[in-house]
């Protein structure tokens, strides 16, 4: 049985040419941002990847196929659809089997990228260990995926809606390198610093590419998490975002929000509480991550050719 992969014409050509490719997730489109900013952002992110020497491959499930790269029409449909499943490792195959439409989270995008031979992936923020996880057991499937699937993921750290110290502890235990880009601190999505030091720091895309290739050669399973801070001009300082985060968490608790619904609920509540400012910051940080991911993909390609 062949893999149910469907490459867009642009991605198929990049594969034939041996051009660098950057995977992009689709849950951020269906569950992370409102329409029409979601589709506009997805297009801007793709353009940013192209402008920095790589080809974008936005990933989603439609018509019993894993689409690696979406056409403009497909992107539009996905951005406006209302019955799209948010897919992670647990439900990717089930969605394909049932013929439903699904968007891929960080975990599911990593699985699909690996199947398609794509080594670098840009997103906004990863899921992590939720606050009070010691009672709720809510730990994103993104974390164990980073521990087992060899894709380098560029994110702006993790959102302060999560328990960031526990998220870093989990990643350390499971052998995931957490690399802050260009600074010592682990970034906190809308803010440049979480107040926590990242375990590793790198200042050049070529260094991240070299570490990616060495992990493969050393036969170490799993990926790398590159934590790229939001640009200074776009950040919402911690002191400003924290009260909104606390309010959103209290609302989630009061309404009994659980499981997959937690992250989308908190994102949309914080959007309301910040009067849209969280979305502006979110767009800026995703573009920044797309840029760095493209550079890393280019460097991996160069290093492969030189070796
Ligand atoms: N962070 C964002 N926007 C998002 C997500 C995270 O800023 O849309 C999505 C990603 O797809 C991530 C998922 O993989 O949320 C994590 O969900 P959960 O916490 O349910 O594992
Ligand atoms: Mn969860």
């Amino acid at each position: 049985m062949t893999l149910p992969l469907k490459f867009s014409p642009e991605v198929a050509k990049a594969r034939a040419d041996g051009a660098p490719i950057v995977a992009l997730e689709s849950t951020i489109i269906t569950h992370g941002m409102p329409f029409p900013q979601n589709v506009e952002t997805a297009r801007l992110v793709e353009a940013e990847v192209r402008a920095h020497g790589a080809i974008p491959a936005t990933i989603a499930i439609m018509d019993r196929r894993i689409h690696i790269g979406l056409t403009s029409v497909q992107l539009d449909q996905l951005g406006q659809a209302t019955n799209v499943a948010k897919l992670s490792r647990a439900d990717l195959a089930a969605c394909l089997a049932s013929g439903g439409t699904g968007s891929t989270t960080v975990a599911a995008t990593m699985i699909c990228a690996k199947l398609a031979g794509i080594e670098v992936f840009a997103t906004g923020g990863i899921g992590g260990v939720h606050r009070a996880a010691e009672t709720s057991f809510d730990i994103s499937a993104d974390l164990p995926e980073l521990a087992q699937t060899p894709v380098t993921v560029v994110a702006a750290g993790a959102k302060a809606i999560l328990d960031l110290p526990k998220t870093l502890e989990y990643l350390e235990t499971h052998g995931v390198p957490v690399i802050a880009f260009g600074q010592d601190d682990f970034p906190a999505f809308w803010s440049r610093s979480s107040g926590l030091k990242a375990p590793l720091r790198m200042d050049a895309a070529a260094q991240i590419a070299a570490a990616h290739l060495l992990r493969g050669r050393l036969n170490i399973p799993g990926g790398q998490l590159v934590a790229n801070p939001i640009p200074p001009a776009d950040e919402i300082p911690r002191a400003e975002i924290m009260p909104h985060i606390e309010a959103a968490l209290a609302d989630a608790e009061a309404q009994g929000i659980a499981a997959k619904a937690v992250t989308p609920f908190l994102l949309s509540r914080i959007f309301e509480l910040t009067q849209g400012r969280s979305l502006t910051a979110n767009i800026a940080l995703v573009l920044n991550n797309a840029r760095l991911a493209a550079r890393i993909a280019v460097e991996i390609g160069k290093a492969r050719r030189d070796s």
Side-chain angles (χ1 to χ4, degrees), residues 48-302:
E48 200 68 13
V49 170
R50 290 186 196 102
H52 291 82
I55 296 299
T58 304
I59 295 177
I61 310 307
M62 287 174 280
D63 309 318
R64 300 180 196 273
R65 290 281 177 280
I66 299 173
H67 290 260
I68 308 289
L70 301 181
T71 62
S72 183
V73 172
Q74 287 171 328
L75 200 61
D76 230 39
Q77 283 168 349
L78 193 71
Q80 297 190 61
T82 49
N83 56 345
V84 182
K86 171 185 164 187
L87 303 176
S88 192
R89 169 170 280 262
D91 32 29
L92 179 60
C95 180
L96 283 164
S98 67
T101 299
S103 61
T104 52
T105 58
V106 169
T109 306
M110 289 180 76
I111 294 170
C112 298
K114 163 85 188 347
L115 292 172
I118 303 172
E119 297 173 275
V120 182
F121 160 28
T123 182
I126 58 156
V129 180
H130 281 263
R131 301 209 201 163
E134 60 275 23
T135 49
S136 70
F137 272 48
D138 189 350
I139 298 175
S140 175
D142 293 351
L143 300 187
E145 203 59 52
L146 279 161
Q148 62 180 310
T149 302
V151 173
T152 286
V153 179
V154 182
K159 284 169 288 291
I161 55 175
L162 301 165
D163 186 322
L164 297 181
K166 286 195 185 73
T167 300
L168 288 174
E169 289 292 350
Y170 184 105
L171 292 167
E172 185 194 40
T173 300
H174 294 272
V176 178
V178 177
I179 305 162
F181 186 68
Q183 67 177 30
D184 292 329
D185 281 9
F186 184 64
F189 200 71
W190 300 292
S191 320
R192 284 177 62 81
S193 173
S194 61
L196 303 165
K197 212 170 160 310
L200 297 165
R201 169 185 175 152
M202 291 188 187
D203 296 289
Q207 208 180 353
I208 297 168
H212 173 98
L213 291 168
L214 276 162
R215 281 178 66 88
R217 244 174 262 148
L218 298 174
N219 242 325
I220 301 171
Q224 307 189 107
L225 175 60
V226 178
N228 187 28
I230 183 171
D234 303 298
E235 87 159 327
I236 307 178
R238 263 165 70 74
E240 232 170 286
I241 194 84
M242 275 330 258
H244 299 309
I245 289 174
E246 301 297 343
L249 285 164
D251 292 346
E253 162 125 36
Q255 294 181 40
I257 308 295
K260 279 171 178 287
V262 174
T263 297
F265 176 90
L266 292 173
L267 286 173
S268 83
R269 196 68 193 100
I270 291 168
F271 169 75
E272 291 163 6
L273 291 165
T274 61
Q275 274 130 28
R277 186 146 170 237
S278 66
L279 179 60
T280 311
N282 199 341
I283 294 168
L285 67 85
V286 185
L287 289 171
N288 191 44
N289 295 341
R291 219 146 34 225
L292 179 56
R295 291 198 180 114
I296 296 167
V298 167
E299 291 296 339
I300 289 176
K302 269 194 215 157

